[in-house]
Amino acid sequence: MELTMTATPSAHDCPLLIGTILTQGVARAPGQEIVYADRARYSYRELEGRVHRLAGTLAALGVRPGHTVGVMDWDSHRYLECFFAIPMMGAVLHTINVRLSPEQVLYTINHARDDVLLVNREFLSMLAAVADQIENTNTRFVLLDDGDVSPLEGFDFEGEYESLLAAAPERYAFPELDENTRATTFYTTGTTGLPKGVFFSHRQLVLHTVAGRALERGTAQGELTTNDVYMPLTPMFHVHAWGVPYQATLKGVKQVYPGRYDPARLVRLFQEEGVTFSHCVPTIFQMIVGCEAARGVDFSGWKVTIGGAALPPSMCRKALEQGIDITAGYGMSETCPILTLALLPRDLVDADIDTQVAYRCRAGRPVPMVQLRVVDADMNDVPHDDKTPGEIVVRAPWLTQGYLHDAEHSEVLWAGGWLHTGDIGVMSADGWLRITDRIKDVIKTGGEWVSSVDLENLILQHPAVAECAVIGVPDEKWGERPLALVVARPDLAIEPDSIIELLQTHVDRGHIPRYGIPDRVAVVESLPRTSVGKLDKKLMRQTLAQE
Ligand code: AMP
């Protein structure tokens, strides 16, 4: 019997390429709108035309397949053009994390070996501080946003984006690439050491795009649908804005790119453009719904996927009460990112609010093509009883195959052929994942593990607490003890004892162990955040814990 099939010589073995996402989106919705804050508005057809012109521009600057093009910009229509044009040429798009320090930005530019840099004027001073240390002396610069290139000291600009595009040929002959060609790269700061580069191929991004939300449930809860108006609230430099711009383009939905995340402008765009779908980390969500401009605004019907950190039940409940369809999702830079989504089965969509909060705040269930296990130290699966913790390890067609130029960390990431997330979770019998901590953040006290996330969620129920982080601090007797850091709501004072009392009630009800009660509650002005707005517990352990 013949086991391998011989292809007909004239058959076309269609590679999975990012360009297909664009052409299919344009074919589906040529007149659909793409909006950039208050400054630009055009159709999908024009997007495609500009993608061709951008490729022509970059080719004229010497960009060839295998070259890397770095982008430093806020979320914009130009960034979307880069999402397509650069990979479609066979080059690699490096989405630079502009929230890193200048030294770290420099590190990533040198490490990724960027050949061309497209830079928004707002990041020029940051770049100027380190420009003389860019190792590739042939790097060429293009100015994004706002015309005049003359007074930019220290940079030899090739020109400004719009005028270069205007002068470029209308069409570019994009090659048919191997689907395994590297398409994108970016850096994750992780918890230790230097930023690490992850990278994704055309095939991976296409599969992530089509499988990411292909869950047929007979309900649109939490889903991006063709009638939605999409506005990202996760920066495009961070895991391709979770890959949703690619999904939105394929579906032909209206897209709104907000520029720098200014809360008042975000609220205005939400209202004026009729935004119905977004995604962000909890901090950004709070920044928007809690800002002055949000007072009295009707957010009902807004679908928001929360990821990057646990969705606190108190935040979920409040959002649901406002009619916001808030849903957790789970993933990481290394995983492109989507692994799981807390999309409700049809019978839960109308469940009571307590049940909904309980499900929506879990990480959810794996999306199609994701194999996800919760394992012990010997890689045995832990029982699916919603309470036995283990490390989450995964396989999927879209995981980074290693860290860029870093064999040592790549081996650790992929030990035993499964990608190690470094997250601790529990799995229920019906396949719902709950993340209880990061391996590095879990508090080990008296030989027992206490989930810092569980403690934070309980403390956030306190009426005077706006923000909270719980970290483990070294303790001679117990190994570690929990320390709670809390920020008060405006005009309210926090009495530390009242937090201990609140936690004691949960000990009495068996929700947390007795030794989970922190020895100390410190009221602080603010909590340090990472470049993508998450609690920076590494920094807290280094600084606040010592105070
Ligand atoms: P990053 O690579 O910066 O996107 O961070 C990924 C990490 O964020 C994961 O490894 C988790 O620790 C955390 N994370 C992402 N989604 C969730 C979630 N739904 N619940 C809890 N933690 C999450």
Side-chain angles (χ1 to χ4, degrees):
M1 195 176 68
E2 194 186 15
L3 289 178
T4 53
M5 291 188 295
T6 313
T8 307
S10 56
H12 180 246
D13 186 13
C14 188
L16 302 178
L17 298 177
I18 284 174
T20 317
I21 297 174
L22 178 65
T23 47
Q24 298 208 332
V26 174
R28 182 165 293 126
Q32 183 62 279
E33 277 185 316
I34 292 169
V35 180
Y36 172 41
D38 308 314
R39 303 165 56 180
R41 183 181 297 270
Y42 63 58
S43 68
Y44 269 46
R45 207 182 288 105
E46 287 169 88
L47 167 70
E48 187 179 42
R50 286 169 59 92
V51 164
H52 277 265
R53 286 177 180 275
L54 173 56
T57 301
L58 292 172
L61 293 180
V63 173
R64 300 285 173 263
H67 282 187
T68 301
V69 179
V71 177
M72 297 176 77
D73 199 6
W74 303 118
D75 292 3
S76 71
H77 61 310
R78 298 193 183 110
Y79 220 142
L80 185 67
E81 292 156 11
C82 293
F83 267 40
F84 288 102
I86 296 167
M88 283 166 66
M89 299 173 73
V92 181
L93 164 67
H94 173 197
T95 56
I96 297 175
N97 181 343
V98 290
R99 293 212 177 269
L100 296 178
S101 67
E103 291 71 29
Q104 284 179 315
V105 167
L106 173 72
Y107 174 83
T108 66
I109 288 171
N110 283 337
H111 194 265
R113 301 168 191 161
D114 292 345
D115 297 285
V116 172
L117 285 169
L118 309 183
V119 191
N120 182 308
R121 179 180 290 270
E122 287 193 39
F123 304 112
L124 283 181
S125 57
M126 171 197 255
L127 200 58
V130 294
D132 58 342
Q133 295 167 64
I134 294 178
E135 285 162 9
N136 180 355
T137 47
N138 293 322
T139 301
R140 306 175 83 168
F141 298 91
V142 172
L143 185 69
L144 281 172
D145 230 26
D146 297 335
D148 185 11
V149 288
S150 51
L152 305 170
E153 281 167 36
F155 291 99
D156 201 2
F157 273 93
E158 305 295 333
E160 178 272 333
Y161 191 94
E162 289 302 329
S163 34
L164 290 172
L165 255 60
E170 261 178 43
R171 303 298 290 176
Y172 181 83
F174 289 107
E176 186 173 273
L177 303 163
D178 181 320
E179 64 182 16
N180 294 308
T181 305
R182 189 172 298 176
T184 63
T185 191
F186 63 92
Y187 286 76
T188 164
T189 39
T191 42
T192 48
L194 290 164
K196 295 192 199 71
V198 292
F199 51 91
F200 302 96
S201 68
H202 282 255
R203 173 189 159 82
Q204 291 182 311
L205 285 161
V206 170
L207 287 173
H208 183 269
T209 302
V210 294
R213 287 172 191 268
L215 286 168
E216 189 50 64
R217 298 165 298 140
T219 163
Q221 177 269 326
E223 288 234 34
L224 177 69
T225 66
T226 39
N227 295 328
D228 277 316
V229 176
Y230 165 58
M231 179 164 77
L233 294 169
T234 310
M236 296 175 89
F237 65 71
H238 187 56
V239 213
H240 331 104
W242 296 353
V244 184
Y246 287 126
Q247 293 173 346
T249 305
L250 182 64
K251 285 178 186 254
V253 310
K254 176 175 168 183
Q255 305 181 46
V256 181
Y257 289 91
R260 190 191 185 122
Y261 291 175
D262 166 52
R265 184 172 50 211
L266 294 175
V267 171
R268 191 165 46 71
L269 285 170
F270 170 84
Q271 292 184 292
E272 288 176 2
E273 301 297 339
V275 172
T276 58
F277 187 93
S278 298
H279 48 79
C280 54
V281 295
T283 327
I284 301 279
F285 181 76
Q286 190 48 46
M287 180 183 98
I288 295 166
V289 293
C291 78
E292 192 57 34
R295 279 208 191 163
V297 172
D298 178 8
F299 286 106
S300 62
W302 190 22
K303 292 181 263 189
V304 184
T305 308
I306 298 284
L311 167 58
S314 51
M315 179 183 281
C316 179
R317 182 177 296 273
K318 229 168 145 188
L320 289 176
E321 283 166 359
Q322 290 182 74
I324 300 172
D325 177 7
I326 193 166
T327 312
Y330 165 58
M332 58 195 303
S333 302
E334 287 82 344
T335 63
C336 200
I338 300 174
L339 294 173
T340 67
L341 287 169
L343 297 175
L344 300 178
R346 198 175 176 166
D347 56 329
L348 283 179
V349 172
D350 298 318
D352 62 77
I353 195 160
D354 290 338
T355 310
Q356 293 217 24
V357 169
Y359 276 91
R360 286 171 184 263
C361 291
R362 296 187 198 190
R365 291 193 286 191
V367 300
M369 314 304 288
V370 169
Q371 301 172 54
L372 185 146
R373 298 168 60 204
V374 182
V375 298
D376 64 19
D378 300 320
M379 291 290 279
N380 299 311
D381 291 73
V382 301
H384 290 188
D385 55 7
D386 205 25
K387 57 175 194 266
T388 311
E391 187 186 10
I392 301 161
V393 297
V394 287
R395 284 179 174 171
W398 48 77
L399 311 185
T400 191
Q401 297 296 288
Y403 291 117
L404 201 59
H405 317 309
D406 184 350
E408 190 190 329
H409 288 107
S410 302
E411 283 296 330
V412 176
L413 180 70
W414 274 103
W418 288 81
L419 186 145
H420 290 251
T421 63
D423 291 314
I424 302 169
V426 296
M427 184 67 95
S428 69
D430 56 352
W432 280 73
L433 176 72
R434 208 153 47 80
I435 293 167
T436 53
D437 228 325
R438 294 229 8 110
I439 286 182
K440 293 197 172 69
D441 294 341
V442 72
I443 299 157
K444 286 163 213 133
T445 181
E448 299 288 338
W449 284 15
V450 177
S451 158
S452 63
V453 176
D454 284 355
L455 294 177
E456 286 158 10
N457 285 339
L458 294 175
I459 295 172
L460 283 169
Q461 292 175 2
H462 190 290
V465 174
E467 292 175 43
C468 169
V470 178
I471 53 173
V473 291
D475 182 274
E476 268 186 27
K477 184 165 174 199
W478 301 106
E480 265 182 350
R481 289 293 301 141
L483 162 68
L485 303 157
V486 288
V487 177
R489 287 188 185 281
D491 307 324
L492 291 180
I494 300 176
E495 189 48 61
D497 282 349
S498 64
I499 292 195
I500 306 285
E501 281 158 25
L502 170 73
L503 291 176
Q504 185 61 50
T505 63
H506 290 283
V507 171
D508 296 344
R509 285 189 264 163
H511 296 162
I512 47 167
R514 190 171 33 84
Y515 40 81
I517 294 193
D519 289 344
R520 196 156 66 87
V521 175
V523 182
V524 293
E525 286 290 308
S526 63
L527 294 171
R529 303 267 170 193
T530 67
S531 62
V532 290
K534 302 197 218 181
L535 293 173
D536 190 345
K537 292 195 176 177
K538 183 176 92 176
L539 191 60
M540 290 179 213
R541 279 191 289 267
Q542 282 167 0
T543 54
L544 297 169
Q546 262 101 60
E547 286 172 6

